[in-house]
Amino acid sequence: PPVRRLFNGNKLTGTALHVNSVGVDLPAIIRALGRNTNTPVIDLTAKSKTLVESMGPSASQALYLTREAGDNTHFSERGGAEMANLVVQGVRELNLPLAGYLR
């Protein structure tokens, strides 16, 4: 899953990265499942973490509905487009059959 916009300083928190208070790391479980089943996984958590942290706490507000609704989980139109671009990037990196249909 893509990250939530929850910062501690300039770094995203565990909650933002989908690691809960008892240490369950959802993205790690998904990556392991992909490895164990030989299923390609686009690590949108890692990709979105890089994007959101590079923008920082202030500029990354533009990706979420933070200003409109105080929402740091759901995306603005721009954020949705950025996340879609990360998925396209992942499809190309993994050379999935779908890649041939992308522009």
Side-chain angles (χ1 to χ4, degrees):
V3 298
R4 298 174 180 125
R5 191 187 152 275
L6 300 169
F7 280 89
N8 181 5
N10 288 322
K11 297 290 181 186
L12 292 169
T13 67
T15 301
L17 301 171
H18 304 283
V19 178
N20 71 18
S21 62
V22 293
V24 176
D25 184 338
L26 179 60
I29 291 168
I30 294 168
R31 287 188 296 270
L33 179 63
R35 281 190 305 275
N36 292 340
T37 61
N38 200 30
T39 303
V41 172
I42 297 171
D43 192 343
L44 195 53
T45 305
K47 289 181 173 306
S48 62
K49 175 183 185 280
T50 299
L51 172 65
V52 173
E53 284 187 343
S54 74
M55 294 177 76
S58 183
S60 64
Q61 286 182 3
L63 301 179
Y64 296 85
L65 296 175
T66 307
R67 293 184 182 126
E68 298 87 339
D71 184 342
N72 289 305
T73 300
H74 298 95
F75 297 107
S76 64
E77 185 176 339
R78 176 181 169 193
E82 292 283 353
M83 295 305 132
N85 284 334
L86 294 176
V87 171
V88 167
Q89 179 186 58
V91 167
R92 287 189 173 126
E93 288 170 355
L94 293 170
N95 198 28
L96 298 176
L98 176 63
Y101 297 98
L102 300 174
R103 290 189 259 163

